[in-house]
Each structure stands twice: as C-alpha cells, then as structure tokens.
Amino acid sequence: MSDPDMTHPARWEFLEKMLLIRRFEEAVGTLANRKVFPGHYHLYIGQEATGVGAMAALDERDLITTTHRNHGHLLARGADPTACLAEILGRSTGLNGGRGGTIHLSDPSLGFLSTSGVVGSVVGLAAGGGYACKQRNDGTLTAAFFGDGALEEGIAFECLNIASLWSLPVIFICENNSAEAWGMAKGGYPTLVHASNDLRSIAGSLNIKATRVEGIDPFAVHAAVMRAAEGCRNGNGPIFIEVMTKRWAGSAPLWPEMATGITDLGMATGATIIEDGPHREWFEVQDPVLRLARQLMASEPDAIEKISTIDQRTTERVDAAARAAEHAPFPAVETASDHVFVPTREMS
Amino acid sequence: MSNKQTYAAAFVDALLDSMADDNTVSLIGSAPLGLGPERHLTEEIRRRHPARVMDPPTAEGGIASLGAGAAMAGVRPFVDLLTGSFVYLAWTQIVNEAANGHYMSGGKIKVPVTYHCLEGIRGAGAPQHSQSPHAMLWNAPGLEIVIPSTAADVYGLVRTALLNDNPTMILSHARILGIEGDVPAERSPIPFGKADIKRKGRDVTVVALSIGVHHALTAAEQLAAEGIDVEVIDPRTLVPFDEETLLASVARTGRLVVVDETPLRCSAASEISATVAEKGFQSLKAPIQRVTRPDVPIAYSPPLEKALTPDSDQIVEAVRRVVGRPEIIE
C-alpha cells in the first residue's frame, strides 16, 4: 500500500536514499559529459523509488542480483558512493578495483552476486542465488532486479521455469521502464517488443505468483516486496513483481542525456516555478524524488527545512565522492592479470 | 596395492566422496554418465543423497546460469550439461558469467561451480552430437579445464574441482566411460596443472588428450615393435597447463606429435604445438605433427565417421613422419 498519510517510519530515510541515488546519477552524467570516463553507461533516474522501497524490505543476509543499470541498487543497499564512483571511473580504489566499471558494480559484502551486463543473465544468476538459499535452508532469499528487456531473452524463461519447478526463494523484480509512447499501440501497455501485453502473464504461465505495483511510490514497492519476502521465506516459492516505472526523458539506451537537468528540489517546495516545456509532466507528476518531497511537505510543517538540509548534506557527500574518485589513481598496469583465478589452496 | 575400476565407476566414487565430505555439493543433472550402460552407476548418488540430486528441465543455459549463481552464493553445484555439443547452449553462462565473475568483481566474488559434459565422437552422433568444446573453452580466460583419461585421474581431478574456488569444466569423452584402469587403494585429490607421463620413452613425445591417451598408448606398443620408443604425456588439465613437463620431454626426445579430437584449426593440438614452437624450438629435430579430426562435421554413416576420427593408426603414421621413417608406411 502507498502511504497517503505519510506515517511510514522510513519516509525520511527513503527520501534521503532516493536523493542520494539522484545526486549520484547526476554526478555520473556530469562526469560522462566531461568525458572523465569512457564507454556507455545506464542511469537509474526515475526508478529510485523502486530500488529504495524494495531494498528496505529485504534482510541483511538476503542476496541481490542486478544488471547494467545497477547504481541505484548498490546505493540503496548501502554501498559506498565513493567506491562506486571510483569504479565507474576505472580507478584502483573502485568497488571492484576497476575491473568491472559501471556495468558490473558488485559488493558481495552486501549480498550482491555477480552483476551481469548480459541482458537476461540476471534471472539465471538469481535462480542460482535462490538455489543456494534453499539448500542452506536459513530463511534467506534472493531478490533480482532487471528491466523488461530481460524477459526478451531465453535464459529468463528457462530460469523462471526452474525457479518455479524447484520452488526457489526468489523475488523477481521486473522494473518495466519501457518508453510510454511505444506502448500506445498496445493499448497503453508499455513494451515495444513483447508479443505479450502483460509481463505478469509470462511468469504467471509458469505458476509463479505475479503482481504489479506503481514504481513511483516507494511505500507501495516496499509493501509489495515485504509481502513477497514473507511468501518466499514461508517456502511458497518465487514471486514476480512488475514495477511500473516512468521512463526518464534522458534515458537513452546507451548514452543518457541530462535532459531534465540537475534536479531542483525548489520544484517541490514551490521556490522554483515549473515552466511550460517538454518535461513539465516529469517535474510535476512523474519524478519520484520531487513527488515524495511534495508528499512530505504536505504532511509535515517543518518539511521544507528538513528537505533542504538533507539535500545539502547529500549533495556535499556526492560532490566529495566525485572529487575523491576523480583524484584516485588508476590501477597499476602490472596488476592487469590479477584476479583471473582464485589462487589454488594447498591440498594434502 | 591397486584395484581395477572403470572411468565411470571412479567418476561416481568421486562425486559420492565429495558429497559426503561437503554438504554444499549437489548434482544438477539426471544422467551425467549418459544414457548408455554406465547410467545405472549414478543411482547410488541418488540413493545416498536424494535431496542433493536435482533433475532439471532440458535447459542447459538455465542450469549453467543457475550453477554459476549458486556458486557465487557460496555452494558448490556440479552441473551436468549432458553432451558436449550442448555446452554451446550454455556458452554465455559459462564464458561470460562463470569465467568472468571473479575478475570483474575485482577478486571479491568466487564462482566454485563445476560443469561436466560427455564430449567427442561417440558413435552415430552425427554432426550435432559429436562436438568437443574444450578447445573453444580454452580461449575463455577464467575457466579451469579438466580432461581426464583414466579412472585414477578422473577420481582425483573431480575431487579437486569440487574443492577449489574457480569455475571448472570437466570433459569426459563419451567413449571413455567403460575403459578400465588401475586405481590406488588410497585415493586423494590430484592437483590441477600436473601432467602425467603415461608411458616413458626416448624417441618421440606424444601429447594426447582424453581418449587420445588410449590411442597413443596403443600406437606406442605398435611402434615399440618397430624400435621407436614413444613417450606419452597426458596434460590432464588444459587450464592450468603444465608447460614444464611437456618442454622437458621434448627437450629429451626432440620430436612432438599432438593428439586431440577437436577439428584441426584452433584445436587444443594447435595451442600445444604453438607453445612448444615458441618455447621449445631449439629442442625440435623435426616439424611438429598434429593428429586431430579434420575441419569437417562428423558424419553419421559409420565408415565416414571412422574416416574422420583420429585413431592409433594416424598416431603411428605421424610418429613415423617425425622420426623420418615414412617408408614404413605400407
């Protein structure tokens, strides 16, 4: 359920985490525009409510899998923004020593398995996570985060089927971020290249309970994942959640653009007038960060001041992370061959 | 003291002992010894560990992916991909997920999954059930590759695969399962990267893989009658590869024949030959010879299949060529 009365105990924590992701992604986009790092990258802007709401519903021992669009999942789970940014810049202090970069951010100390940039693989790795959880029988589960594109791949079908057959404790969280406009031809349902016009039916046909939730609302996502987690922990097998997220205007497939600029929380507090233009609806309705800020303002008299303090703190934190990452050294070239194999243990 | 055992029985013993020692080891696959006469041996695994034998759907990519993910999550699945030809269905999961996982996490994630398949020209396999993926996999950094030839070796190498922390592919030749060999009474894991000299000899080094070892030993007996003393080296693992034993042998014999059942171009034989050409050139008294299948799909029709399959006769001829005695060929 959403939280119209704004009484959820984590409401301010949600705002701060969503804002951290937003400011982080804006920093990534800015660094990319300055050509501080090479290659393509994927931003999580517009989907912050999903990552934050979902992660808050998971336990510390649960496992996570994510994809090329992983930054928000790492940060929502508590990864160090400086180490994440340094990884994106390919530095030695990066989360993964510069071996993976933006597409493969992973922190196993927070429960992350390998972060695959191969579309669909995440579904299979998550099934494997669930297999390990079930084998250990310790009440843990694996949560997989992926886009609607993952379901275009055959591996997703194979592993949804296995997860269902073997009743594996996996929450498959499909963040449907298809461009809205493409969906108009399908009666408003957002997917371009799925013959199905209801992604839940794909999981549903394999006897996986499938639900849908509004991805702009962190409380609704949180509640849905809480329910799913309870089911998984009770041995009810996997659950599929389709999270409907609004595609951010800057979300080009490989090369995001800062189409909506740097987020101005004044648009939530009323200090900044939202001008007419192509992104008016985004600012007024779709941006999950502005939306949550407005909801908090409407329910708490001192919200404006708190929002401003949180934003200042978060911006400073990300600025410091970006500075540290940019000044961090590149890995020594002599280490390029490190980590191909785990060194062999002596065996008797 | 030693006993005789088939390759298949030793393989099953290794799985049983690994599963007894480590309750995170499980078998994903219904028929790791294929559908032939050895199939029943795996029933003992199912009997002893019913909760740790999983019968998957026909989804090689799916179980390869699941195995990689489970290993990343800290357990040790033994994933059977059935016929070697089906490894291609799991290619991205093995090469792009399992093999890259440790590196691209900066050494933080371990992927101790073991994959297994029955590869090679198995008889009436036609083009789609006769493939040997080990040479292609050798081009995928991050994967350990095990290619046993005997009962004693498969036991120790499977045990090691299930103890170490890297993704491993074990390739058993489909026609090797029933071959008996001596096994020691006390068995233990065999370290990867240690070649085994299966026959000592002075004149020619024959490096052979998997079933090729048996063909090479047969050829060596025949050549011994002609006064040619062949040394047969079995690398046992392609990754890691024991260059030292190979180069030392070539330094003694000065002649090299490499036997491998993959197609010639970019075969494992090609890579082994290149290694010796690069690092042992001074030792060579004659050009290296490769004995492989030709670059041709494997035909169904038995005489065509036989014509395409490397055997001991081809090894004998290759050895005669490198010792400069082609005149022996009738």
Side-chain angles (χ1 to χ4, degrees):
Chain A
M1 281 301 107
S2 61
D3 185 34
D5 302 330
M6 296 310 271
T7 54
H8 196 289
R11 61 194 182 280
W12 285 100
E13 185 194 323
F14 284 3
L15 180 76
E16 181 150 9
K17 286 202 163 168
M18 287 166 60
L19 198 52
L20 172 66
I21 296 169
R22 176 63 56 87
R23 294 304 183 209
F24 182 96
E25 296 293 54
E26 289 172 352
V28 173
T30 304
L31 290 163
N33 287 341
R34 284 178 43 217
K35 304 198 184 308
V36 177
F37 67 95
H40 68 279
Y41 61 104
H42 308 78
L43 300 183
Y44 197 62
I45 293 177
Q47 297 173 225
E48 294 92 342
T50 302
V52 168
M55 290 298 180
L58 301 175
D59 285 354
E60 206 175 307
R61 290 183 309 153
D62 290 336
L63 304 176
I64 319 284
T65 61
T66 172
T67 65
H68 50 281
R69 199 180 302 282
N70 60 60
H71 305 168
H73 303 132
L74 269 290
L75 294 172
R77 185 76 171 167
D80 173 20
T82 306
C84 290
L85 266 178
E87 184 62 29
I88 292 165
L89 301 193
R91 307 305 166 108
S92 66
T93 55
L95 192 59
N96 307 109
R99 267 61 174 184
T102 167
I103 290 177
H104 304 296
L105 293 184
S106 176
D107 188 346
S109 73
L110 298 173
F112 284 86
L113 306 184
S114 195
T115 299
S116 177
V118 180
V119 172
S121 276
V122 56
V123 178
L125 297 177
Y131 181 86
C133 293
K134 181 161 182 167
Q135 196 179 349
R136 282 198 284 263
N137 193 25
D138 59 0
T140 58
L141 59 82
T142 299
F145 294 84
F146 51 91
D148 45 292
L151 296 178
E152 294 163 23
E153 293 280 359
I155 193 71
F157 171 81
E158 292 184 28
C159 291
L160 287 170
N161 183 41
I162 295 171
S164 182
L165 270 178
W166 295 352
S167 200
L168 304 179
V170 183
I171 309 175
F172 294 104
I173 301 170
C174 176
E175 301 184 55
N176 187 342
N177 62 351
S178 293
E180 267 188 306
W182 294 347
M184 295 315 288
K186 304 184 69 178
Y189 185 77
T191 63
L192 178 64
V193 290
H194 271 290
S196 166
N197 64 358
D198 185 343
L199 296 186
R200 292 174 301 178
S201 69
I202 296 172
S205 72
L206 299 167
N207 274 328
I208 296 175
K209 193 180 164 203
T211 62
R212 180 180 289 161
V213 65
E214 187 56 64
I216 203 170
D217 181 349
F219 308 106
V221 173
H222 180 253
V225 177
M226 286 291 280
R227 278 195 303 278
E230 193 185 350
C232 275
R233 292 189 216 286
N234 287 339
N236 299 339
I239 293 176
F240 181 93
I241 303 174
E242 182 184 16
V243 183
M244 309 306 286
T245 66
K246 297 293 180 193
R247 194 178 178 89
W248 169 56
S251 185
L254 298 179
W255 313 99
E257 302 146 20
M258 298 306 292
T260 54
I262 302 297
T263 305
D264 177 0
L265 286 178
M267 290 184 179
T269 62
T272 304
I273 303 297
I274 299 173
E275 305 285 348
D276 232 354
H279 306 308
R280 183 173 188 128
E281 197 187 350
W282 166 261
F283 294 130
E284 285 185 340
V285 182
Q286 295 166 350
D287 181 334
V289 175
L290 292 178
R291 181 177 181 272
L292 178 56
R294 281 191 197 104
Q295 287 176 321
L296 288 163
M297 277 177 40
S299 65
E300 299 184 35
D302 61 345
I304 290 187
E305 200 177 322
K306 280 173 85 171
I307 290 168
S308 167
T309 306
I310 289 172
D311 191 26
Q312 195 180 343
R313 183 163 73 217
T314 305
T315 303
E316 282 169 8
R317 188 178 175 201
V318 172
D319 285 350
R323 276 193 306 276
E326 215 176 330
H327 288 103
F330 285 102
V333 292
E334 298 76 34
T335 67
S337 303
D338 292 357
H339 310 307
V340 179
F341 291 106
V342 182
T344 306
R345 286 175 297 181
E346 286 303 313
M347 282 177 297
S348 53
Chain B
M1 185 187 131
S2 70
N3 308 302
K4 287 250 182 225
Q5 201 177 29
T6 62
Y7 182 102
F11 172 93
V12 169
D13 279 356
L15 277 179
L16 287 171
D17 289 352
S18 295
M19 290 174 86
D21 287 355
D22 180 351
N23 64 15
T24 74
V25 174
S26 61
L27 169 62
I28 299 173
S30 305
L33 294 174
L35 304 177
E38 291 80 17
R39 183 181 191 178
H40 71 279
L41 292 169
T42 55
E43 286 308 312
E44 183 62 13
I45 305 173
R46 200 180 291 273
R47 195 187 65 76
R48 286 199 214 169
H49 306 288
R52 285 193 273 151
V53 178
M54 305 299 288
D55 296 309
T58 309
E60 291 81 0
I63 58 173
S65 176
L66 180 141
M72 291 166 189
V75 298
R76 293 178 176 274
F78 185 100
V79 179
D80 184 62
L81 298 168
L82 305 165
T83 293
S85 307
F86 306 162
V87 171
Y88 302 145
L89 287 158
W91 207 255
T92 197
Q93 308 304 333
I94 298 167
V95 170
N96 227 349
E97 304 300 343
N100 279 336
H102 186 61
Y103 189 83
M104 73 187 190
S105 68
K108 287 185 172 177
I109 291 170
K110 294 176 183 173
V111 195
V113 61
T114 302
Y115 298 111
H116 176 255
C117 68
L118 294 179
E119 69 161 14
I121 303 169
R122 72 185 193 184
Q128 291 191 330
H129 292 73
S130 302
Q131 309 263 26
S132 295
H134 60 259
M136 289 189 200
L137 289 168
W138 204 355
N139 210 244
L143 186 68
E144 295 189 317
I145 302 175
V146 178
I147 185 158
S149 66
T150 65
D153 287 350
V154 72
Y155 178 87
L157 294 167
V158 168
R159 297 283 278 143
T160 300
L162 287 167
L163 285 169
N164 85 4
D165 284 331
N166 293 304
T168 306
M169 170 64 81
I170 301 175
L171 304 110
S172 298
H173 196 284
R175 302 185 77 160
I176 217 171
L177 301 176
I179 296 180
E180 270 196 339
D182 292 333
V183 292
E186 290 291 321
R187 291 188 288 190
S188 55
I190 295 172
F192 290 175
K194 303 274 185 221
D196 186 42
I197 300 178
K198 293 284 194 259
R199 185 186 194 279
K200 281 277 194 191
R202 288 185 317 271
D203 300 328
V204 180
T205 299
V206 175
V207 178
L209 303 175
S210 183
I211 199 165
V213 171
H214 299 281
H215 297 325
L217 290 170
T218 303
E221 289 309 307
Q222 188 179 333
L223 290 158
E226 298 170 13
I228 302 170
D229 192 15
V230 171
E231 177 146 300
V232 178
I233 292 185
D234 177 0
R236 300 197 290 195
T237 61
L238 294 180
V239 182
F241 187 78
D242 182 357
E243 291 186 1
E244 201 179 320
T245 299
L246 169 61
L247 292 169
S249 175
V250 174
R252 288 193 299 274
T253 63
R255 293 179 170 86
L256 178 64
V257 171
V258 191
V259 182
D260 175 27
E261 213 184 72
T262 49
L264 179 71
R265 302 292 177 193
C266 298
S267 60
S270 299
E271 176 55 30
I272 292 168
S273 300
T275 300
V276 173
E278 198 168 71
K279 300 184 178 174
F281 186 74
Q282 294 82 349
S283 306
L284 291 170
K285 298 172 190 159
I288 299 166
Q289 296 289 305
R290 290 172 289 170
V291 177
T292 69
R293 68 169 93 169
D295 294 313
V296 175
I298 296 300
Y300 169 73
S301 177
L304 295 182
E305 184 195 78
K306 185 172 188 311
L308 296 168
T309 306
D311 59 16
S312 59
D313 290 346
Q314 293 174 38
I315 298 169
V316 167
E317 288 168 24
V319 169
R320 287 172 181 162
R321 283 196 297 274
V322 297
V323 296
R325 289 166 62 182
E327 71 278 4
I328 299 174
I329 302 168
E330 291 90 18

